[in-house]
Amino acid sequence: MFSGGGIEKRGISKAVNKRSSSRRSSSSSTGSGSTSGSSSGSGSSSGSSSESGRSNNSGSSSGSGSGSGSGSTPLGSPPHVQMASHESLNSESKSSSLNSKLGHESAGSPSAGSPSPPKSVCSSSSTSTDQHHHHQLAHVLNATSKLTVREGTRTLRPDEPTLVPGEHMEGTAREVTYLCPYTGPKKGTLSVTNYRLYFRSPETDPPFELEVPLGVVSRIEKVGGANTSRGENSYGIEIFCKDIRNLRFAHKQENHSRRMVTEKLLQYAFPASHKLPFFAFEYCEQYPENGWTVYEPIAELKRQGLPNESWRITRLNEDYELCETYPAVWAVPAAASDTDLRNVAAFRSRGRIPVLSWIHPESQATITRCAQPLVGVSGKRSRDDEAYIQHIMDANAQSHKIFIMDARPSVNAVANKARGGGYESEDAYQNAEVQFLDIHNIHVMRESLRKLQEVCYPHIDNAHWLSNLEATHWLDHIRCVLSGALRIADKVESLKTSVVVHCSDGWDRTAQLTALAMLMLDGYYRTIPGFAVLIEKEWLSFGHKFAQRIGHGDDRHQDEDRSPVFLQFVDCVCQVMKQFPHAFQFTEDLLITVLDHLYSCLFGTFLYNSERERMEKEVKTKTVSLWSLILSNPSDFENPLYNPATRHHVLFPLTSMRHLCLWDKYYCRWNPSMRPQEPVHIRFKELLHVKGQLERRVDELRRELAARQTHDSPRVTSAIV
């Protein structure tokens, strides 16, 4: 177990599901090494977005020799892969001394000319604000970052984007000025498709390009009017995005282009409000890996060693009648009958009863999740619920106690009694200890993120950076979530005691806590496929309300249900990664890609609020999974420092404020002054290549040694009788 700097090993006997070995062999060489194929007439790729952090690695221009020519950067390449300025291209081709040593052998290096993927791949698109931003922006919602032009797909004009499968043009406005907060006004052409906004200015070399998936748009406002000042650039539109950016475009009033652009943006940025399908249902890319198969509930429970004597698997909720926000398959105490489950559901908010999330492979201590009990001001009790909690405790023979971790501040839990909710009484629940984790509600978190946006975008006040950051309380909230998850992991691992986790409804703070605790306890979830399983299981199947928290496709930007709950979870994962850089198979690029596609609506993964809704909308058959992109291009996200031996380690991160820091690679990525000196993904690619060479050399030497020992071993003869 890792605790700060210490390590303690724990043998985990259960086998874990491994990724299919049929991954295409070329995926490791495409990713961030290939270039964006949507090149324009001037020879630059469509990846020259700067503010966007798009995965475009526009290697087709500037004579850097770093591109694959006709291929494009595969969709989902790491954020840094999407650099597009002339300066960044040069830095890629000369990025490091390792590059020169690897030569043409370095399949993952941009200078090696990686082959382009066999089929077009659309990536998450993000907007670029400044051509110098490319160093920083990666894995942003780059719709074309991994775009390979299909046969028959072509760009009609140099100032229009290459379309991804299912995308079509909706309108174009010329002589539009993008008011970049970093490099000043840029005049060019603004295009709107059913998936993204695309701006291209030929005023620079290479041309400045900016694109944003419309799913990222939170609201659109008109600036200026017919009766207002006619000063230059005073008339246009301002676009507010969910990923911290604001974009402003100035139009000429005499062109009458603003009206058309605004209408198209409103229509396709908010399809749910206009009764249109999400673009994910139009996107028809084919990937080598099918991401919808990465998580299979029964297989994951079997990986954990279930069913066993104490726990059984039930399909009681197969039709989502008992609890419409829970998955169809549960693991519950074997001692509890189906009748008991129904009675417990009646006493828990939304019918969300305690069900198993994770079981310790040795001690059998468990993490179960649920919603608050319906105690109310009268202090109601449920004998069935009390007996059920006892069954959970009894399933763990190593302890005669159980902890109930309530994510809320105690004041909020008491206040919930007035609305019919509440918390467990230690008098009613024998051998149970209730602890409150003091994590604030969704409204507090939303306001904290709003303040953080003001601090990080567009300009950073360096003189007051620390005080401004402290005033947002963002890191305070991150610390509370991490500390709560650490307490859960410690109870399970160190005390061998089972833990029940809940907040009010059990789909926000509960998901944060269970997922983070499982990430600390089980090294499988720190692999690329395992992390996908963790999100599918704890967030998607257990009904985190992604549609309401993110506001997919609707124009109600002031909706009280909006909150950055999932963003906080990913931020916490990044904090743990920074403390244990060898324990994760993936890098921050995977986290940024996940967040970008959380908003993009390019994939069906995060659409809707529950497993039941996704089943009704046939998401698995009519859309593409985000994990298809990630599992088809694993080398784009692999951590060269990963040590597989850490799979059997438990991580105990330090959660005091002095050990936490703002995730500037995500929150400050639009600011060119925050970009790294050298694109880190290039160095990672080179390290992975060197690591592979060394591993192959070790295998060769071992074979030679084994052959020599066999050849030199003395001949064994039988005695003559």
Side-chain angles (χ1 to χ4, degrees):
M1 147 174 65
F2 290 138
S3 179
I7 300 177
E8 176 183 326
K9 292 190 177 181
R10 180 188 79 211
I12 297 183
S13 57
K14 311 302 178 190
V16 295
N17 297 334
K18 297 203 181 219
R19 192 185 323 161
S20 168
S21 59
S22 61
R23 273 188 335 224
R24 69 175 160 166
S25 59
S26 64
S27 66
S28 62
S29 61
T30 51
S32 59
S34 55
T35 58
S36 153
S38 58
S39 56
S40 63
S42 64
S44 77
S45 80
S46 71
S48 72
S49 100
S50 27
E51 185 180 274
S52 75
R54 302 160 31 200
S55 297
N56 289 342
N57 192 357
S58 129
S60 60
S61 66
S62 80
S64 65
S66 63
S68 62
S70 62
S72 73
T73 308
L75 180 77
S77 351
H80 326 64
V81 180
Q82 310 167 352
M83 303 170 282
S85 68
H86 199 85
E87 171 187 339
S88 61
L89 288 172
N90 290 336
S91 71
E92 283 194 38
S93 60
K94 315 168 186 174
S95 65
S96 70
S97 57
L98 274 176
N99 211 15
S100 61
K101 293 178 183 178
L102 296 177
H104 294 289
E105 290 182 300
S106 177
S109 170
S111 62
S114 324
S116 57
K119 296 186 178 182
S120 80
V121 191
C122 313
S123 96
S124 68
S125 146
S126 285
T127 321
S128 77
T129 311
D130 175 10
Q131 294 189 346
H132 303 295
H133 297 186
H134 296 355
H135 282 292
Q136 183 87 7
L137 317 176
H139 271 336
V140 190
L141 312 166
N142 175 15
T144 56
S145 63
K146 279 198 152 190
L147 182 67
T148 308
V149 181
R150 288 176 178 269
E151 183 178 358
T153 300
R154 61 193 183 92
T155 303
L156 299 179
R157 298 177 57 94
D159 53 7
E160 292 180 355
T162 301
L163 305 179
V164 303
E167 184 181 16
H168 53 79
M169 293 292 300
E170 288 294 332
T172 300
R174 311 197 187 281
E175 296 187 68
V176 174
T177 302
Y178 170 54
L179 305 179
C180 176
Y182 304 110
T183 59
K186 290 178 170 51
K187 185 173 292 186
T189 301
L190 181 65
S191 302
V192 180
T193 74
N194 59 331
Y195 169 60
R196 60 183 154 162
L197 172 151
Y198 175 80
F199 175 80
R200 185 176 189 275
S201 171
E203 294 182 347
T204 58
D205 184 20
F208 174 89
E209 296 183 275
L210 163 76
E211 55 181 89
V212 187
L214 299 183
V216 180
V217 176
S218 176
R219 74 181 191 270
I220 301 167
E221 293 183 359
K222 294 181 180 180
V223 179
N227 299 321
T228 60
S229 170
R230 299 204 174 194
E232 187 178 10
N233 300 331
S234 64
Y235 178 86
I237 58 175
E238 187 164 10
I239 300 171
F240 298 84
C241 300
K242 299 170 185 175
D243 58 2
I244 296 185
R245 294 167 296 167
N246 299 336
L247 311 173
R248 186 165 175 176
F249 296 92
H251 295 251
K252 291 186 176 181
Q253 294 191 36
E254 58 269 22
N255 290 351
H256 304 289
S257 61
R258 186 179 77 167
R259 183 175 184 179
M260 179 275 297
V261 169
T262 304
E263 289 178 352
K264 294 298 182 182
L265 285 176
L266 288 171
Q267 184 178 5
Y268 290 100
F270 310 119
S273 298
H274 293 81
K275 298 182 179 179
L276 294 174
F278 291 105
F279 180 73
F281 290 92
E282 308 290 336
Y283 183 57
C284 51
E285 184 56 79
Q286 299 292 321
Y287 290 92
E289 297 286 340
N290 179 10
W292 292 122
T293 63
V294 69
Y295 172 60
E296 206 288 314
I298 301 294
E300 171 58 15
L301 291 173
K302 287 183 176 179
R303 184 191 73 84
Q304 296 186 32
L306 300 174
N308 57 26
E309 294 180 357
S310 302
W311 293 87
R312 66 185 177 95
I313 298 174
T314 177
R315 295 183 179 273
L316 182 63
N317 197 46
E318 192 166 22
D319 296 324
Y320 307 104
E321 292 179 355
L322 187 59
C323 179
E324 63 178 14
T325 60
Y326 258 17
V329 177
W330 303 347
V332 297
S337 66
D338 287 354
T339 301
D340 294 333
L341 299 180
R342 291 189 177 92
N343 293 337
V344 173
F347 188 68
R348 290 281 169 172
S349 177
R350 316 280 184 172
R352 296 172 66 90
I353 75 171
V355 297
L356 182 81
S357 283
W358 190 79
I359 184 169
H360 195 288
E362 295 167 0
S363 70
Q364 301 297 292
T366 59
I367 298 175
T368 52
R369 58 179 297 170
C370 58
Q372 65 182 341
L374 301 178
V375 176
V377 291
S378 61
K380 288 187 294 185
R381 293 179 58 175
S382 168
R383 300 295 182 186
D384 294 302
D385 192 78
E386 294 165 16
Y388 187 81
I389 297 297
Q390 185 68 35
H391 291 325
I392 295 175
M393 188 192 75
D394 293 341
N396 173 18
Q398 305 244 6
S399 176
H400 299 289
K401 185 177 183 179
I402 191 168
F403 286 95
I404 299 176
M405 298 292 193
D406 193 322
R408 302 166 292 184
S410 58
V411 175
N412 295 17
V414 172
N416 267 309
K417 286 186 175 182
R419 294 193 290 269
Y423 59 94
E424 295 84 353
S425 166
E426 293 182 0
D427 295 332
Y429 292 82
Q430 298 296 318
N431 304 313
E433 181 179 334
V434 179
Q435 295 186 4
F436 296 97
L437 302 180
D438 296 322
I439 303 172
H440 288 281
N441 61 30
I442 62 172
H443 312 296
V444 174
M445 302 308 185
R446 180 177 61 250
E447 178 62 15
S448 180
L449 179 63
R450 185 193 65 77
K451 292 179 180 178
L452 183 64
Q453 291 174 327
E454 294 177 353
V455 170
C456 294
Y457 189 90
H459 300 290
I460 293 174
D461 181 0
N462 290 315
H464 303 93
W465 167 252
L466 292 177
S467 58
N468 290 342
L469 178 60
E470 182 184 17
T472 69
H473 298 293
W474 183 257
L475 288 180
D476 289 326
H477 300 315
I478 295 297
R479 179 189 58 79
C480 284
V481 175
L482 267 177
S483 296
L486 179 62
R487 286 168 68 176
I488 294 169
D490 182 55
K491 303 298 184 191
V492 173
E493 176 65 23
S494 303
L495 300 184
K496 298 179 173 54
T497 306
S498 295
V499 179
V500 176
V501 186
H502 72 74
C503 49
S504 296
D505 293 315
W507 50 45
D508 290 316
R509 288 165 284 191
T510 301
Q512 290 177 330
L513 293 169
T514 57
L516 285 170
M518 293 162 64
L519 191 81
M520 297 173 190
L521 291 165
D522 192 339
Y524 170 63
Y525 298 122
R526 301 192 292 267
T527 65
I528 293 176
F531 190 65
V533 168
L534 182 67
I535 292 176
E536 286 280 343
K537 181 178 183 295
E538 291 302 299
W539 289 89
L540 291 159
S541 74
F542 276 100
H544 175 64
K545 300 164 71 173
F546 279 103
Q548 291 188 21
R549 297 291 179 259
I550 306 303
H552 287 143
D554 72 60
D555 54 7
R556 301 186 300 274
H557 65 274
Q558 293 183 326
D559 193 330
E560 288 295 305
D561 282 330
R562 302 276 180 94
S563 191
V565 178
F566 186 73
L567 169 61
Q568 280 186 318
F569 160 72
V570 177
D571 194 330
C572 289
V573 173
C574 187
Q575 300 288 343
V576 180
M577 289 176 64
K578 289 178 180 179
Q579 293 191 31
F580 304 100
H582 305 288
F584 290 80
Q585 189 186 21
F586 50 87
T587 64
E588 293 173 70
D589 293 335
L590 184 142
L591 303 182
I592 294 175
T593 298
V594 168
L595 287 177
D596 287 338
H597 288 300
L598 169 68
Y599 306 121
S600 74
C601 296
L602 180 65
F603 300 99
T605 302
F606 296 113
L607 298 182
Y608 305 108
N609 288 319
S610 65
E611 181 178 289
R612 179 185 64 84
E613 290 184 18
R614 284 184 280 275
M615 289 285 289
E616 291 175 351
K617 300 296 183 179
E618 303 178 80
V619 167
K620 285 192 175 182
T621 56
K622 294 184 177 180
T623 70
V624 179
S625 169
L626 169 60
W627 313 121
S628 299
L629 161 68
I630 291 173
L631 296 179
S632 296
N633 302 278
S635 65
D636 293 346
F637 311 100
E638 287 178 354
N639 175 15
L641 305 178
Y642 175 60
N643 181 0
T646 60
R647 280 280 292 271
H648 305 301
H649 295 160
V650 176
L651 311 184
F652 280 174
L654 300 170
T655 60
S656 60
M657 285 297 293
R658 68 180 182 275
H659 292 104
L660 303 180
C661 59
L662 183 72
W663 187 15
D664 55 2
K665 185 176 178 180
Y666 179 76
Y667 299 110
C668 302
R669 56 185 168 160
W670 313 121
N671 193 320
S673 66
M674 301 296 291
R675 72 181 186 272
Q677 291 297 315
E678 175 186 46
V680 180
H681 77 282
I682 296 179
R683 174 65 59 140
F684 279 1
K685 285 285 187 180
E686 294 164 350
L687 288 175
L688 284 169
H689 182 79
V690 171
K691 182 180 179 181
Q693 287 182 324
L694 293 175
E695 287 174 346
R696 287 191 293 272
R697 180 58 179 158
V698 168
D699 290 339
E700 291 175 2
L701 292 174
R702 283 175 176 165
R703 286 194 295 269
E704 289 179 9
L705 181 60
R708 186 175 303 171
Q709 289 174 342
T710 302
H711 182 267
D712 295 341
S713 60
R715 184 183 300 274
V716 179
T717 58
S718 300
I720 300 176
V721 179

